[in-house]
Amino acid sequence: MAEYTHVVQPFEPVFDEKSEILILGSLPSVKSRENGFYYGHPQNRFWKVLSAVISCEEPHDITQKKDMLLSHHIALWDVIYECDIKGSSDSSIKNVVTADIAGILQKSRIRYIYVNGKTAEKYYKKYIEPDLRIKAVVLPSSSPANAAFSLSALINSWERLLWVFQGHYRYQVKVDYKDYLQIMQDGHMKEMDSADFALVWRELFGATSQVRQDVSVWYQVSLSGKQVVVMTLGTFFDEKMEMYEQKEQLYLAYMVDCLGMGILRLAYQTFYEAHFCHTGLLASDMTFLNQNEMKDISDHFERLGVTEVKLNEAFVMFPQKTVVFKTKIHENACADGIEKGAEEGNNPNAEKSCMNICEMCDNTQCANRQKPETVWNDAKECRMDLAMAQKIKMRKSQNAQKRQDEIENANQNYGYQRIMGKTEDSE
C-alpha cells in the first residue's frame, strides 16, 4: 500500500508578460515529475488537445511545449504548490499549500483562468478564488482516468470553453423611409405607395424620415480564433407586433415583423465594419450555429453576461430579432492599411473601411484577399442566411399561415389586398 509522500511543486510556472490566459492543473503526477515537465504521462492528452485547439503541431519536448504556450500567450501552472499525497492519487491529497497565482497575474496580462479537471477546481475554489475573486472555468480533465471523454470530445469541449477575450458594445444602423419601402418590397408586399406603409412608419417612428436603430452585440473569441457573436435589436419590434396583434391588425403586425427582420439584415451586413471599429478585430466567414452548438447557447449567454436575451426549451430566443452566429478572427495584419486609407481620405466615414481592406493590405496571404466574396457577404447571401434564421426563430412554424387565414376570415380585405398585392379575381 502506497505511503504518503510530501511533494513540493518541482516546476516553475510557464508564462511571460504577454500571457493572457492561465491553465491550472492540480499537481504534477509521479510520471510528470520523472519526465521533468507538466503532463508528462504518455497517456495524458493535454498536449494533444491543446495543440489541436490552437491548430498547431503537437510538441514533443519541453522546449517545443514552452514555445507553443508562450507563442499563444498561454500560461501554465498548478493550483497546489505543496501537499502530502499517495503516489498520483488526487483523492489522497492533504495538507495543501496553494501556489502564488496572484504573483503571476501581477507580472502578466492574464484575465482568464481555467482549471484542468475537478481536483484543480476543488482547491482553486476553496483556497484561491476567494482572494483573487476571479471565477475559473472548468475544463474536462485531460487525464487518461477521465474515460467519459474521448479525445475528440475533449478537443470539442476545450475549443468551446477556451477564449482569449470577450466584450460587449452597441452600434447603430441607419434606416430611412426609402430603405423601409425596400424592406417591405423584399417582404413580398408590392404596393409601394400604400397608406398602410406610412401609417406603420408614423406609429413606430413619428414624423421623422430617418431613424437609427440600436444594435447590441456580445462576443467572445476562443483560442482557436473562432468567435461567437450574439446580436439583438431588443424588444422594440416584439412589443409593436404584440400591440397590433392585440388589436387584431395582423397584417400590420406582419409588416412590423418584416421591418424588424430587414433591419436585422442590415445590422448583419454592417457587422464586419462595426466590429472592427469597436474591437479592432477582423472577422470573416459568418455562419449560424448548428443544432448541437445551439445546446451551448445558455452557457455562452451566462459567460458573456447576456441578460437582454432569453432562450426557451425549444432554443427560441426572445427578443425575436436576435441572431447568434460564428465568425473567424484574423490577426490585425490589415489594420495599418485601414488606418492609412482613413488618413488619406479614402474613408472619411469609416463605414467602408473593411470593404476595401484587401486593396490596402500588404499581406499577400490575407484570407480576406483570397476570398473577399466569403468575407464581405453580398446582400443576396445575407438575405438567404437571415431567412433561415427567421425560420428558426419563429415562435410557431405555422404562424405565417395562421395570420394569413385569420386576415382573410376576418374580411380585412382592404388592407390585405393592398399589402399582399391581391385583387378580387386573383387566386
Side-chain angles (χ1 to χ4, degrees), residues 37-48:
F37 201 60
Y38 300 96
Y39 303 104
H41 192 294
Q43 300 303 316
N44 195 295
R45 297 165 289 181
F46 179 87
W47 299 107
K48 287 183 180 292

Side-chain angles (χ1 to χ4, degrees), residues 276-290:
F276 180 82
C277 290
H278 286 84
T279 68
L281 300 175
L282 296 171
S284 70
D285 299 332
M286 194 181 293
T287 58
F288 288 101
L289 305 189
N290 60 36

Side-chain angles (χ1 to χ4, degrees), residues 377-395:
N377 291 341
D378 61 26
K380 180 179 179 181
E381 289 172 331
C382 289
R383 283 197 293 272
M384 290 172 62
D385 286 344
L386 278 166
M388 184 177 295
Q390 184 181 20
K391 182 179 179 181
I392 293 172
K393 297 192 288 85
M394 290 292 286
R395 283 178 286 187

Side-chain angles (χ1 to χ4, degrees), residues 15 17 68 73 102 119 220 224 239 299 340:
F15 78 102
E17 67 279 2
M68 185 185 81
H73 310 307
T119 301
Q220 63 180 27
S224 64
E239 293 169 352
D299 292 337
K340 180 180 178 182

Side-chain angles (χ1 to χ4, degrees), residues 164-201:
V164 288
F165 44 82
Q166 62 190 46
H168 169 53
Y169 62 88
R170 298 179 189 271
Y171 71 101
Q172 292 184 325
V173 175
K174 182 174 65 175
V175 183
D176 59 26
Y177 194 74
K178 183 179 179 181
D179 297 325
Y180 165 64
L181 294 179
Q182 183 63 51
I183 291 170
M184 293 297 102
Q185 185 180 43
D186 292 343
H188 307 293
M189 290 171 285
K190 299 178 181 178
E191 189 63 41
M192 297 298 292
D193 60 349
S194 170
D196 292 312
F197 291 160
L199 170 66
V200 170
W201 179 270

Side-chain angles (χ1 to χ4, degrees), residues 72-239:
H72 289 85
H73 310 307
I74 302 170
L76 185 63
W77 208 15
D78 289 318
V79 172
I80 300 172
Y81 184 75
E82 61 179 287
C83 70
D84 295 324
I85 185 172
K86 292 181 179 180
S88 299
S89 172
D90 287 343
S91 62
S92 70
I93 292 174
K94 65 179 184 180
N95 301 326
V96 170
V97 176
T98 56
D100 180 20
I101 306 301
I104 293 181
L105 301 187
Q106 293 171 359
K107 301 174 184 177
S108 67
R109 298 187 301 198
I110 292 171
R111 291 181 292 169
Y112 305 107
I113 298 178
Y114 300 84
V115 289
N116 184 4
K118 294 295 183 181
T119 301
E121 176 192 19
K122 172 184 174 181
Y123 290 104
Y124 181 87
K125 282 189 172 181
K126 184 175 182 179
Y127 295 111
I128 298 176
E129 185 178 306
D131 292 330
L132 287 187
R133 297 184 181 180
I134 300 176
K135 185 176 180 181
V137 176
V138 183
L139 302 168
S141 174
S142 61
S143 167
N146 185 15
F149 278 78
S150 66
L151 178 60
S152 61
L154 274 179
I155 292 172
N156 290 335
S157 295
W158 280 46
E159 184 176 69
R160 176 174 60 85
L161 293 169
L162 282 167
W163 69 89
V164 288
F165 44 82
Q166 62 190 46
H168 169 53
Y169 62 88
R170 298 179 189 271
Y171 71 101
Q172 292 184 325
V173 175
K174 182 174 65 175
V175 183
D176 59 26
Y177 194 74
K178 183 179 179 181
D179 297 325
Y180 165 64
L181 294 179
Q182 183 63 51
I183 291 170
M184 293 297 102
Q185 185 180 43
D186 292 343
H188 307 293
M189 290 171 285
K190 299 178 181 178
E191 189 63 41
M192 297 298 292
D193 60 349
S194 170
D196 292 312
F197 291 160
L199 170 66
V200 170
W201 179 270
R202 285 197 303 270
E203 291 198 2
L204 294 180
F205 308 119
T208 183
S209 62
Q210 184 183 98
V211 295
R212 291 182 177 271
Q213 172 64 44
D214 286 336
V215 182
S216 293
V217 174
W218 295 261
Y219 65 96
Q220 63 180 27
V221 182
S222 72
L223 272 177
S224 64
K226 294 181 180 178
Q227 178 181 225
V228 175
V229 178
V230 181
M231 175 188 291
T232 184
L233 302 185
T235 61
F236 177 80
F237 294 98
D238 287 358
E239 293 169 352

Side-chain angles (χ1 to χ4, degrees), residues 295-332:
K295 296 177 182 178
D296 298 323
I297 287 284
S298 296
D299 292 337
H300 289 304
F301 284 179
E302 180 179 357
R303 287 198 297 269
L304 289 169
V306 178
T307 58
E308 297 177 25
V309 182
K310 305 298 180 184
L311 191 73
N312 68 15
E313 294 179 354
F315 303 114
V316 177
M317 291 176 286
F318 300 92
Q320 291 187 67
K321 303 303 176 284
T322 301
V323 287
V324 181
F325 54 89
K326 297 181 299 181
T327 73
K328 294 179 182 177
I329 292 299
H330 303 281
E331 293 292 334
N332 284 359

